Structure formats: C-alpha cells, structure tokens
Amino acid sequence: MSPLDYKTESDALLWLEHETDERDKFDLSNDLRLASAGDVAALSRLHEGFGAPIAFGTAGLRARMMYGPTGMNVTNVRDFSQAVATVVEKDRSSTDVQRVVVGYDGRHKSLEFAQAAASVFASRGMDVLLFPRPAPTPVLAFYVRHLEAAAGVMITASHNPPNDNGYKLYMSDGRQIVSPTDLEIQEVRKTVVSDHPTEGCAYNVLPENFLDAYVSRLKSREHPSAIRVAYSAMHGVGSETVRALYKDEPQVDIRFFGPQEHPDPDFPTTPVPNPENQNSAKLLLDFAMSIDADIAIANDPDADRCAVGVRDGVDGWRLLSGDEVGAILGQHLASGGVS
C-alpha cells in the first residue's frame, strides 16, 4: 500500500472541515492520524472513502456506511436529497406545494439518514411526511400514491451486508425511478454544495397507525384458504405488517420464526440477509418442517423481496427459484386472480 497521497489527504481534510456527523468525524480524524503514522488499514480506509464518488443509479444509492464521497453518510444523503428536490421541482406549478414521503428500515443509521433527507426536503418548502418507525419499502411506495406525493424516499440497503445502507427513490406513480431520471439526478448532484441550512426546517411524522391504510388496501383483494405458513422477516421489518394483515384471518396460521422475527441490523443468524440465498433460508426451511407448515415465506430486511419454500420429496423442503415464483404468480393472474 502506497503512502497517503496529497490529493487523498487534502480531500479528507476538506471533508473533515464540513463533516457534521460526530462518529464519522471521529473515524476520519483517527484514520488520518493513524495513516500519517504508517497504519496500513487506516490508509486503505482513506483510499476507499475518497475514491470514486458514490453514484445515483436506477436503484438510487447503495454503499458501505463510512465517511467520504464514496460512502453512505449524512453529507451524501443531504447532497443527493438536494439534487432529488431540484429534479422533482421541475414538475411543480407555481402554486403547488409538493409532498414527499420518507421511510426507513431497521438498519444502522437508517433513522438518522431519513431525518437528514426529510430536513432537506422541508428546507425546499416541501410538505414532508416521515414514517414514525421502520417499515417495509412497499409501504413507502403505497403512500406515495395514497397521499398523491411528488416523490418518496426509502432509506434501506435491501439485502446488502450489515455495514451497507442505501437510498431508494420513488416518483409520483409509486414506482422506482428509471433512466434518464437517475442520470439527471447524478448530474445535478455535481453542482450541489455540502453546506445546507436545514436547521429549523420542520417536517411532519405520519400517525402511529400509518400501516392501517396499507393493510386495508391489501385485505380488499383476496381472502386466502386455510393454510399454515412459516414466516421469516430475516431480521428485517416485515413481521408487523404480516401480523396486521392476517390478524383477522383465522384460516391463515402464521408461525413466525422467532430468531429472525424482529429487526436486527447486524443480521446475526444469516450469512447474508437475502432470503433467496439457500444458506440464509436453511433455518426457516428447518422451522417449516418442524411445524408441518404448508409453505415457507421469507422477506428481505426491507420486505420488498420475497422467497418461497415448498415441500420437496428429496430433501424435505426447498426454495423455489425466482422464475418458478414468477410462473406461479403469472398463472394466478391469467386464471383471473386478483393482482
């Protein structure tokens, strides 16, 4: 590893001058001190943090939580929120007050990042509504349309490792952004300055019963037959919504896999928090077998990805592939099922 070069050091010192997160400020200061003394690990972290800047893609942002332009941190969340606000405002008439909904999952720093984004949108004169607690990504997408919002931001890194976080953007149709919107946001971001006067810019918080509208919408669709389900939230935010959805459906016997039922940003029982990973799903499938379930269902940590396990004559239980799940859903819709 080469010694700390002048550009990396000067970029780091400039970032440190404007850093507002106390934890990131400490980590960066400490790494600069250690690197100057020849610490290889600190040098590596500095080169990582001040490498190629994080880019806004079709899924928004996703990166390791750390200082610098490459990481998920408060500064980057604020800067990209300013860029998002600029792009969203292009569709505003002179009399409109645009609404933005901000949600977050149970990962480390998700609430902090969500509050930072909400403050930026509020500083731009937008009507901002923040989730009162962690919730699934589909709830955010629902609320964008339900409240006729101009956009919605979900702080989550989906099924990435514990040290990552991310920023998903939904537009007024309730769908994730697609090109060229992502490229436009990325271009606007280049002109954003790091210092933003967001202090005192108030945003609102959705009521504690905010899940009711989402659950009510789902319940209006179909009433399932009698079935026993082994369910895992994969240490994410899906359990509360699933429990609310089926609390008045006695024919659906939902059995929650306890070790993975509640949010835990360290994901201690999974090699990766991806329910479609066979090794990650093994504990759930074992649980399904032990309770004689009819089906096993797992969500990823922000509950917008679903894996399905079924009985198998060879190994007892197996995961369906994404193609198999898609085929089943397609057949259901083609036969007149409710979408």
Side-chain angles (χ1 to χ4, degrees):
M1 178 71 66
S2 59
L4 185 60
D5 59 277
Y6 174 79
K7 184 179 186 308
T8 301
E9 183 177 21
S10 59
D11 287 348
L13 289 171
L14 181 61
W15 187 278
L16 185 61
E17 187 178 329
H18 298 281
E19 180 60 74
T20 59
D21 183 275
E22 292 301 321
R23 180 72 237 183
D24 285 347
K25 183 182 293 186
F26 173 83
D27 288 343
L28 180 51
S29 298
N30 194 48
D31 279 348
L32 281 167
R33 178 182 60 81
L34 292 172
S36 66
D39 186 285
V40 174
L43 197 58
S44 176
R45 287 191 295 270
L46 286 168
H47 284 154
E48 178 184 355
F50 293 91
I54 187 174
F56 206 94
T58 53
L61 303 171
R62 205 174 293 183
R64 178 183 171 186
M65 288 177 282
M66 68 178 304
Y67 55 70
T70 69
M72 272 297 297
N73 50 62
V74 168
T75 297
N76 277 332
V77 167
R78 286 176 176 161
D79 287 352
F80 275 102
S81 295
Q82 289 283 359
V84 168
T86 298
V87 172
V88 169
E89 282 179 342
K90 290 174 57 180
D91 295 326
R92 179 172 69 92
S93 73
S94 59
T95 58
D96 284 343
V97 175
Q98 290 178 306
R99 176 171 290 157
V100 177
V101 186
V102 180
Y104 59 99
D105 68 3
R107 284 178 177 268
H108 294 295
K109 292 193 173 184
S110 282
L111 173 58
E112 181 182 351
F113 293 157
Q115 291 171 331
S119 295
V120 168
F121 293 125
S123 76
R124 299 289 291 263
M126 295 177 169
D127 175 21
V128 184
L129 294 166
L130 177 70
F131 280 11
R133 59 183 179 277
T137 292
V139 177
L140 183 280
F142 164 80
Y143 262 104
V144 170
R145 296 183 65 179
H146 183 64
L147 298 177
E148 298 182 342
V153 168
M154 183 71 187
I155 304 297
T156 177
S158 192
H159 54 279
N160 276 36
N163 291 331
D164 288 5
N165 214 322
Y167 183 116
K168 292 181 179 179
L169 177 62
Y170 292 77
M171 302 307 281
S172 59
D173 60 0
R175 299 181 183 181
Q176 270 191 281
I177 58 166
V178 295
S179 288
T181 305
D182 58 330
L183 301 177
E184 185 178 4
I185 292 169
Q186 185 66 28
E187 281 302 306
V188 174
R189 163 66 184 87
K190 296 176 182 178
T191 67
V192 170
V193 180
S194 293
D195 291 328
H196 306 308
T198 59
E199 292 77 9
C201 297
Y203 51 82
N204 298 305
V205 178
L206 284 167
E208 281 295 317
N209 66 344
F210 76 115
L211 285 179
D212 291 356
Y214 176 73
V215 169
S216 177
R217 179 72 179 100
L218 292 181
K219 282 190 172 184
S220 69
R221 303 215 167 189
E222 280 193 23
H223 298 282
S225 304
I227 192 172
R228 176 173 293 171
V229 181
Y231 175 77
S232 170
M234 201 67 72
H235 297 297
V237 296
S239 293
E240 181 185 4
T241 306
V242 170
R243 184 173 280 108
L245 182 60
Y246 292 110
K247 71 176 182 179
D248 298 321
E249 302 278 2
Q251 72 275 28
V252 180
D253 180 14
I254 298 282
R255 304 290 182 91
F256 292 85
F257 181 48
Q260 297 176 351
E261 181 177 357
H262 302 291
D264 187 330
D266 295 317
F267 311 115
T269 69
T270 62
V272 291
N274 182 353
E276 294 174 286
N277 179 285
Q278 188 70 43
N279 291 330
S280 296
K282 184 180 184 307
L283 291 176
L284 173 63
L285 297 184
D286 290 345
F287 173 65
M289 182 181 295
S290 72
I291 64 169
D292 194 28
D294 297 300
I295 194 171
I297 297 175
N299 286 131
D300 66 339
D302 67 323
D304 68 349
R305 176 174 294 221
C306 176
V308 178
V310 296
R311 296 173 184 270
D312 177 67
V314 178
D315 299 317
W317 282 79
R318 73 174 180 90
L319 282 181
L320 296 179
S321 69
D323 288 344
E324 288 173 318
V325 174
I328 291 170
L329 293 176
Q331 182 184 37
H332 171 70
L333 293 175
S335 63
V338 181
S339 62

